[in-house]
Amino acid sequence: MVKHITCTSIALLLLAAPVSAQTRTRPDPARRAAVQQRAPYFPQRIRAGVRAGQLTREEVGRIRHQLRTLHAQARQMRQDGTMTPAERTRLRHEMRQISRQIFRLRHNK
C-alpha cells in the first residue's frame, strides 16, 4: 500500500513539473506602468506649448515623429512578452531625452 501511494505521488510530481514549466508569467504591471506613466503627458505638454506659441509646427512634427518611433520600439521590445531591464532602461532614457527636448524647445526664447 505504501509503495502504491509513493509511486503515485512520484508520478504526479513528474507530470506536474512540465506543466508548471510551460506556464507563462505575465509581465509585472508595476514595471510596465513605470514606462507608460510618462507617455500620456507628452501630448499635453506639446499642446500647451502650441497654445502658448512656444512651439512651431516643425518642432511639433519632429517631436511627434520621435514619439511614434519610441512607441514602435516599445512594441517591438514587448513582442516576446517581456521587456528586459536593459530594454526598459533604454526606453526610459529615450523618454527622458524627448522630455528634455520638449522643455528646451518651449523655453528657447
Side-chain angles (χ1 to χ4, degrees):
M1 180 75 172
V2 174
K3 281 186 180 182
H4 180 65
I5 294 173
T6 307
C7 290
T8 306
S9 61
I10 289 174
L12 287 175
L13 284 174
L14 290 175
L15 290 174
V19 172
S20 67
Q22 291 177 1
T23 58
R24 203 168 169 183
T25 58
R26 296 189 59 90
D28 183 17
R31 284 184 170 179
R32 191 169 181 190
V35 172
Q36 292 177 343
Q37 270 180 335
R38 257 191 201 153
Y41 295 110
F42 288 142
Q44 292 173 4
R45 292 175 60 199
I46 293 169
R47 275 194 300 274
V50 170
R51 274 192 230 120
Q54 298 168 331
L55 294 174
T56 65
R57 286 181 115 159
E58 292 82 20
E59 292 169 340
V60 170
R62 216 172 323 138
I63 293 169
R64 287 190 176 150
H65 175 73
Q66 289 174 345
L67 286 173
R68 278 192 302 273
T69 303
L70 181 76
H71 288 296
Q73 287 174 349
R75 267 194 310 276
Q76 188 177 14
M77 289 175 186
R78 275 191 240 109
Q79 272 183 339
D80 61 354
T82 59
M83 189 180 291
T84 65
E87 290 172 335
R88 198 173 298 111
T89 301
R90 180 176 172 210
L91 209 58
R92 281 192 194 123
H93 175 73
E94 291 180 20
M95 289 176 86
R96 213 174 293 124
Q97 283 184 329
I98 292 172
S99 180
R100 287 179 186 150
Q101 182 181 12
I102 292 170
F103 179 86
R104 277 191 227 106
L105 290 172
R106 285 188 66 187
H107 296 88
N108 66 354
K109 292 183 180 180

